[in-house]
Amino acid sequence: MNVIGKLRWKFVLINMLIVTAMLAFISTFFIVSVSDSLREDSIELLNQVIVQDGMPMFTLGKEQDQEGFGRFSDNGGSVSLPYFTVSVLATGQAVVVTNQFYDLDEETIQEVVSLCLEQEETSGVLRDYSLRYLRSSTVSGWRLAFADISQEESTIRSVVRNTLLMSLAALAAFFVISLLLARWAVRPVEQSWQQQRQFVADASHELKTPLTVVLSSADMMEKHSTAMTEKERRWLENIQASSLQMKELVEELLVLARSDANESKAAPHELLNLSDLVEDTLLQFEAALFESGHLLESELTPDLYVSGDRGKLKRLLEILLDNARKYAARNSDVQVFLAPEGAKRVRLEVRNQGEPIPPDQLERIFERFYRADQARTSEGFGLGLPIARTIAQEHGGKIWAASDDAEGTRFFVSLPRAKAPAAEQRGALTAE
């Protein structure tokens, strides 16, 4: 994903987080309000019926029952809830005073009354029976009032379900709107980004030709000039060195420009024996490391295959090796490891001992032209590691760094592992 794509999705993510937080607050407030309203209705009913006097309807143990619904006035309105009240005498005898409850069962009422008397709180809910109770002491014992809350629970479940469905629908709508808004909001940045990339590409192309002419002219002067003084020769060498340095910078800019231009296109890949590729690259780089005072150590698992571009993967390893050569401590070893990473990936590691990179700069060293002051020297342009990251991303992989005093600086590259070819195909790949 390119920079503009990440910016667009970041915009969408921020919008969705804000909308989700608002919907969560509104939904929670609505559900709690409905729940509190229903709870207050049933509590109001219990407060009214528990103080009402009435003749006992029946004593538990006798066959008598009535059915119906309690109705009480609430600010001019009317609320209907099934309820019943029970008086418990000092002798422990329970008497049903009022029965506005459906399907009363003597055994169930006895269990409910016993359970209610066991509770520490004078009011609460018996979840197993879907009853809300209120208990009040009297001269002769206890007065208990029970209201059925099954309808209340069903209503709350329905409210929660409907609220969640509406919230999900609203989130889906806001997601689509956020995508459109993100595309519109990021368009000026995208245009500026494209113009900047185009400028870098055009400038690199335009600089390449005059640099080639300067280098060629300097080479011709060096070959055909015999009367050049020592001072003039040093000037010529400075011209050549600076021109080569600028040519390297232009070539690196061109690599990044081509990568930016083709970031949405899949590069053609071939099946590669990464183990052999790494081994060949190490052999070519060993002399350069030795001249810099470093010994090269490697531990490579054989026959690890990937799908990729041979030249680019070789360039990635060369960048990491050159980075290790530049910043490794004098007379220290540079170590390279290649091993499987689970069943589906391979991991390449390049390690060197040197001054650790600060933790806050481990990610920034992969930014273009960035060089950490304490861990970097004046050598290079700060484009090598960004190119390495670009190559890793083009191959479906990732690159990261770790650095400390104990183990030194380590660069890791994780790539998707390809299936090893058959024996005859492997021979053909080795021959190539």
Side-chain angles (χ1 to χ4, degrees), residues 1-287:
M1 185 182 298
N2 59 26
V3 176
I4 300 301
K6 291 180 180 179
L7 181 61
R8 187 180 295 120
W9 281 110
K10 187 176 181 180
F11 182 91
V12 173
L13 178 62
I14 293 174
N15 279 348
M16 293 305 298
L17 286 176
I18 295 174
V19 171
T20 302
M22 293 178 61
L23 285 176
F25 174 78
I26 294 172
S27 300
T28 302
F29 178 79
F30 177 70
I31 293 172
V32 171
S33 298
V34 172
S35 177
D36 287 345
S37 177
L38 294 174
R39 181 174 59 84
E40 289 172 0
D41 287 345
S42 61
I43 291 176
E44 178 67 19
L45 171 65
L46 293 176
N47 285 325
Q48 289 186 18
V49 301
I50 201 170
V51 297
Q52 292 175 354
D53 293 327
M55 294 297 294
M57 296 181 61
F58 65 88
T59 302
L60 294 183
K62 296 182 178 181
E63 296 292 335
Q64 188 173 357
D65 190 87
Q66 287 188 5
E67 299 180 358
F69 291 90
R71 187 177 295 273
F72 69 94
S73 179
D74 181 19
N75 296 328
S78 182
V79 179
S80 298
L81 285 175
Y83 75 93
F84 67 98
T85 59
V86 177
S87 288
V88 180
L89 305 179
T91 59
Q93 185 179 20
V95 178
V96 176
V97 178
T98 309
N99 175 18
Q100 296 297 332
F101 195 74
Y102 53 88
D103 195 18
L104 279 176
D105 177 79
E106 180 179 331
E107 181 179 356
T108 302
I109 294 177
Q110 186 67 58
E111 293 176 357
V112 168
V113 170
S114 300
L115 187 60
C116 177
L117 293 175
E118 293 173 358
Q119 304 299 314
E120 295 181 0
E121 301 293 334
T122 57
S123 64
V125 175
L126 304 177
R127 292 293 179 189
D128 293 339
Y129 298 93
S130 295
L131 291 173
R132 176 171 280 112
Y133 69 88
L134 180 63
R135 187 176 68 214
S136 176
S137 61
T138 63
V139 177
S140 59
W142 294 96
R143 185 73 176 265
L144 310 178
F146 299 90
D148 179 35
I149 60 171
S150 57
Q151 183 179 358
E152 174 185 333
E153 293 175 335
S154 176
T155 301
I156 293 175
R157 286 194 297 268
S158 178
V159 169
V160 171
R161 182 179 61 253
N162 294 335
T163 302
L164 288 177
L165 290 176
M166 289 188 293
S167 297
L168 290 175
L171 283 176
F174 275 112
F175 179 74
V176 175
I177 295 173
S178 296
L179 286 177
L180 298 176
L181 286 176
R183 189 178 298 275
W184 171 78
V186 177
R187 186 175 296 131
V189 180
E190 185 176 9
Q191 292 174 349
S192 176
W193 177 255
Q194 290 175 348
Q195 291 173 356
Q196 178 184 351
R197 291 190 307 183
Q198 188 63 42
F199 169 77
V200 172
D202 293 343
S204 301
H205 280 291
E206 293 299 327
L207 287 171
K208 195 172 183 179
T209 300
L211 279 174
T212 303
V213 174
V214 170
L215 283 170
S216 300
S217 300
D219 290 339
M220 294 295 292
M221 288 177 63
E222 184 180 18
K223 289 180 181 179
H224 298 283
S225 179
T226 57
M228 190 178 298
T229 64
E230 183 63 27
K231 190 174 184 179
E232 291 173 338
R233 188 171 298 279
R234 285 201 303 269
W235 290 344
L236 181 60
E237 290 174 355
N238 289 338
I239 292 174
Q240 290 174 319
S242 298
S243 299
L244 287 172
Q245 190 177 24
M246 186 172 289
K247 182 181 180 183
E248 180 183 353
L249 172 60
V250 169
E251 289 175 349
E252 290 182 348
L253 287 173
L254 279 173
V255 170
L256 292 173
R258 293 191 188 101
S259 175
D260 290 339
N262 299 321
E263 59 191 357
S264 60
K265 302 177 183 178
H269 288 173
E270 59 177 322
L271 186 63
L272 299 173
N273 188 326
L274 185 61
S275 302
D276 291 346
L277 178 63
V278 172
E279 186 175 5
D280 293 343
T281 307
L282 294 181
L283 288 175
Q284 297 173 8
F285 221 89
E286 190 171 9

